[in-house]
Amino acid sequence: MDVADEAGMPARAGAGVTPDGLRLGRVGLDRPWAWLAAGWKDFARAPGISLAYGAALSAAGLLMAWALAVAGMFYLILPLACGFMLVGPLVAVGLYEVSRRLENGYPVSLGAALGAYGRNATQIAAIGLVLMLFLMFWVRVALLLFALFFSQQPPADLHMFVEMVFFSASGLPFLVTGTLVGAGFAAVAFAIGAVSLPMLLDRDTNVVEAVAVSVAAVLRNWQAMAGWTGLIVLFTAAGLATGFLGLAVALPLVAHASWHAYRDLVPRGS
């Protein structure tokens, strides 16, 4: 029996069962748009909390970029900005909690959102550690790629960095290779975190089961999830392109929508 979202659209076309008996949904290719619509409704119902959460993360991004600029480590700005995709599900846990509370008719507050990390804290910390290790490994790989394509010393200033990456003969091959490698890292991190973090917040489970369910759900719905990943990249890139300011809206919207994606992929009662 299909379930429906707030707009009355069917959430899944069929269901699979994991080895431990958990039922997974199968979603249509158009579902990411319904998740965004539902996420926007959550944003509109709790705009203060959503914007405060997003603004804090935007400020953190700006502070990181400023610190790297002051330290003369301009070459780390690009891989760290791209690496934001790897740890996005972890920083969005508080916003998942806002959507969970709105769904169940509970009161919402910034304190409750931040307190979400305390629920199933050990398991959330474990998967957070995995995602942070992914980020660190990606930064190391990005630096190695930079060294392979640009044999000279790291750029001394931002102007030199921009010239090397975007206007030199090695720039385009570097960007293409880095994008493909980064996409591989992002795909693995997305499969791990897409369902696992909302599931750890919503259910009394462990990180091993949550990751297994997340990977299974993403593989079962790989076409829809590929489209959803594309939308996440688009919204995140738009936020980063505005000097991190756009993340104040983009991140809460994507986070709220991701909660509704989880609800479709792992329906209630499964």
Side-chain angles (χ1 to χ4, degrees), residues 82-123:
C82 296
F84 182 82
M85 292 288 297
L86 303 181
V87 297
L90 178 63
V91 300
V93 166
L95 293 165
Y96 298 155
E97 174 67 4
V98 171
S99 287
R100 188 189 73 84
R101 286 176 168 268
L102 289 173
E103 176 183 85
N104 290 284
Y106 301 151
V108 297
S109 66
L110 186 59
L114 297 176
Y117 290 94
R119 303 184 61 209
N120 215 350
T122 302
Q123 303 302 318

Side-chain angles (χ1 to χ4, degrees), residues 256-267:
H256 290 312
S258 295
W259 175 262
H260 294 278
Y262 158 69
R263 276 292 184 231
D264 272 6
L265 297 170
V266 187

Side-chain angles (χ1 to χ4, degrees), residues 211-268:
V211 169
V213 170
S214 185
V215 172
V218 170
L219 291 177
R220 179 173 172 78
N221 298 279
W222 69 269
Q223 292 173 305
M225 298 308 285
W228 177 226
T229 303
L231 288 174
I232 293 175
V233 171
L234 180 63
F235 277 89
T236 303
L240 293 172
T242 57
F244 294 91
L245 297 178
L247 290 178
V249 174
L251 178 64
L253 174 60
V254 169
H256 290 312
S258 295
W259 175 262
H260 294 278
Y262 158 69
R263 276 292 184 231
D264 272 6
L265 297 170
V266 187
R268 280 185 166 183

Side-chain angles (χ1 to χ4, degrees), residues 16-24 209 212-213 216:
V17 180
T18 63
D20 58 1
L22 188 66
R23 183 165 48 90
L24 300 178
E209 180 182 358
V213 170

Side-chain angles (χ1 to χ4, degrees), residues 18-35:
T18 63
D20 58 1
L22 188 66
R23 183 165 48 90
L24 300 178
R26 185 185 294 279
V27 301
L29 296 180
D30 60 338
R31 287 306 294 170
W33 297 105
W35 299 336

Side-chain angles (χ1 to χ4, degrees), residues 188-211:
V188 175
F190 178 76
I192 290 173
V195 168
S196 59
L197 279 161
M199 184 174 173
L200 288 171
L201 184 65
D202 187 47
R203 299 169 182 249
D204 184 15
T205 187
N206 60 70
V207 67
V208 175
E209 180 182 358
V211 169

